[in-house]
Amino acid sequence: MAQRETTEFRGEEDPLLSVQNLQTAFFTDKETIRAVDGVSFDIRRGETVGIVGESGSGKSVTARSIMGLVDSPGRVLDGSRIDFRGEDLTQKSEREYRGLRGSDIAMVFQDPLTSLNPVYTVGNQIKESLRLHQNMRGAAATEEAINLLEAVGIPDASRRVKEYPHEFSGGMRQRAVIAMALACDPELLICDEPTTALDVTIQAQILELLQDLQDERDLAIMFITHDMGVIAEISDRVNVMYAGEIVESAPVEELFENPRHPYTQGLLKSIPGNQPDAERLQTIEGDVPTPNEPASYCRFEPRCPKAFEDCTQVHPASVEVDAETDDHTAACLLYPEDVSQEEAVELHEQRESQREVSQR
Ligand code: SF4
């Protein structure tokens, strides 16, 4: 599997986006669903951070929380922080959020038709973005719309700018949506499964396009997918999500060469072609549970081949996997692996009680 070279990463020290202890819950008469439960990660300019996990792991709710797009009965809970350029977005009014969305932060969804209006030409929709976010109109806006379509690799852009979305193929529509997102000149681009509906050739082209645009514009990209192959291609750093939590985080090469969390190991084994000796494809038995209460145990325990008794009684904190690495964490009681299992469990208990105290 091709992996992205991380050695040329040019990120600056301060993160552009810093998510700390993000908790987003949905409240219904019957239950509370803790869709995102204590998620923390950073993204720097010029960096692509991948968020990977099965459906129901909380990836898309994380993205919608950052965008301020969580609809009732859901909300971001107190104690969550989403710092963008050093300002906490959770304190913004809806009006202030609207100013950020589509300008400093833009989002590309899985289905381009949710972002494109069928009754307006592609060019008019890009020009509307340019008018709203860059105050550009008339011939200058038309010229910029053509430039943007060219930048995303749409051939014969001066003709196609006058066409409607239904006249574009699926891959071309997704390129047009990316052009619309770029019309806002964003600093952070959030991509939620943008290549899932596309065939593999078009998918590879879109991933390459995103990398080229990132290099040209120093964009920070948050890339959500359930596909480990796509994550390997595009990410500098990977966060693996399970049942509302990040269970492992590492630079992309380290994660693929040295996965530590049993869930990540299971995901990698289920990639076709990744286990040449296996007689058939391995899958992780069972489903992602719906997190209804604050976790006091490991949510992966029912599916974990390495589970032991403490896993049903202690919630794993995110810890460095060993003393050698300072950039690879896992939320699993098996780590750090350079201490005894008993000592590791004690460390997790201490970290969890510190976290509970800091949240009071
Ligand atoms: S804490 Fe226990 S159940 Fe959870 S992933 Fe680690 S070994 Fe498996």
Side-chain angles (χ1 to χ4, degrees):
M1 190 186 309
Q3 272 160 41
R4 188 166 191 195
E5 285 288 336
T6 53
T7 45
E8 289 175 22
F9 167 59
R10 298 164 289 110
E12 61 188 27
E13 276 310 304
D14 287 341
L16 178 68
L17 178 80
S18 180
V19 176
Q20 295 301 321
N21 190 34
L22 176 63
Q23 301 169 75
T24 306
F26 293 82
F27 299 90
T28 69
D29 290 344
K30 285 192 193 135
E31 59 180 356
T32 298
I33 300 171
R34 306 178 68 88
V36 180
D37 201 9
V39 158
S40 301
F41 63 93
D42 292 341
I43 309 182
R44 291 171 171 76
R45 287 176 210 276
E47 182 183 35
T48 300
V49 170
I51 310 271
V52 69
E54 293 163 283
S55 69
S57 58
K59 313 180 295 287
S60 293
V61 180
T62 300
R64 296 188 78 82
S65 304
I66 295 167
M67 291 293 282
L69 290 173
V70 176
D71 294 326
S72 177
R75 66 182 158 83
V76 173
L77 304 188
D78 291 349
S80 308
R81 269 194 86 104
I82 304 170
D83 286 350
F84 179 69
R85 291 187 308 220
E87 275 185 74
D88 185 5
L89 301 186
T90 64
Q91 303 303 314
K92 297 259 177 224
S93 66
E94 177 48 33
R95 193 162 156 267
E96 289 169 319
Y97 237 128
R98 262 202 304 274
L100 275 173
R101 265 198 304 268
S103 54
D104 300 306
I105 308 177
M107 191 155 171
V108 177
F109 296 93
Q110 177 178 340
D111 180 359
L113 290 177
T114 57
S115 308
L116 292 166
N117 189 326
V119 302
Y120 294 107
T121 64
V122 168
N124 275 340
Q125 295 181 64
I126 297 173
K127 285 197 287 185
E128 178 63 7
S129 269
L130 290 167
R131 184 184 69 76
L132 280 173
H133 302 293
Q134 297 200 46
N135 203 19
M136 202 183 273
R137 293 157 204 268
T142 305
E143 199 183 325
E144 181 60 11
I146 294 168
N147 288 343
L148 285 167
L149 288 179
E150 278 171 356
V152 297
I154 292 186
D156 201 3
S158 46
R159 178 176 63 82
R160 303 217 70 162
V161 77
K162 298 179 201 132
E163 292 185 347
Y164 290 86
H166 74 267
E167 296 175 271
F168 280 48
S169 66
M172 286 293 162
R173 273 185 217 137
Q174 197 56 295
R175 284 173 191 266
V177 169
I178 295 169
M180 265 170 68
L182 296 179
C184 320
D185 202 15
E187 292 178 67
L188 171 66
L189 187 63
I190 299 180
C191 301
D192 190 358
E193 305 263 10
T195 59
T196 302
L198 305 173
D199 72 47
V200 279
T201 315
I202 308 294
Q203 175 174 289
Q205 290 170 2
I206 297 283
L207 294 181
E208 206 180 315
L209 167 67
L210 286 170
Q211 280 169 2
D212 290 346
L213 293 170
Q214 178 175 56
D215 290 345
E216 282 161 25
R217 293 164 183 254
D218 212 20
L219 270 175
I221 297 180
M222 171 175 160
F223 197 100
I224 291 171
T225 178
H226 65 280
D227 185 329
M228 290 301 266
V230 169
I231 274 292
E233 295 267 342
I234 189 102
S235 309
D236 296 301
R237 182 170 192 90
V238 184
N239 293 305
V240 181
M241 274 193 86
Y242 185 79
E245 301 175 70
I246 290 180
V247 294
E248 185 158 11
S249 178
V252 66
E253 285 171 37
E254 165 71 8
L255 188 99
F256 278 79
E257 277 163 25
N258 209 359
R260 303 293 186 94
H261 196 284
Y263 179 57
T264 314
Q265 291 167 349
L267 283 180
L268 286 171
K269 279 189 193 144
S270 59
I271 299 174
N274 228 20
Q275 297 288 308
D277 301 333
E279 283 184 9
R280 65 188 185 88
L281 194 62
Q282 294 191 35
T283 52
I284 310 172
E285 295 287 324
D287 297 312
V288 181
T290 303
N292 293 126
E293 60 204 35
S296 54
Y297 52 90
C298 174
R299 287 181 173 142
F300 188 57
E301 186 272 334
R303 304 171 77 187
C304 180
K306 297 183 179 168
F308 53 102
E309 202 183 337
D310 289 321
C311 304
T312 59
Q313 287 149 26
V314 178
H315 180 239
S318 194
V319 297
E320 302 295 342
V321 293
D322 57 42
E324 303 279 294
T325 49
D326 60 357
D327 207 17
H328 187 169
T329 57
C332 169
L333 301 183
L334 296 171
Y335 303 102
E337 65 182 5
D338 37 18
V339 299
S340 71
Q341 196 161 302
E342 226 172 45
E343 286 170 319
V345 172
E346 257 172 46
L347 176 77
H348 284 270
E349 284 175 319
Q350 278 168 14
R351 293 271 181 98
E352 281 299 289
S353 47
Q354 281 163 3
R355 189 174 66 91
E356 279 162 23
V357 169
S358 72
Q359 281 180 12
R360 266 180 219 146

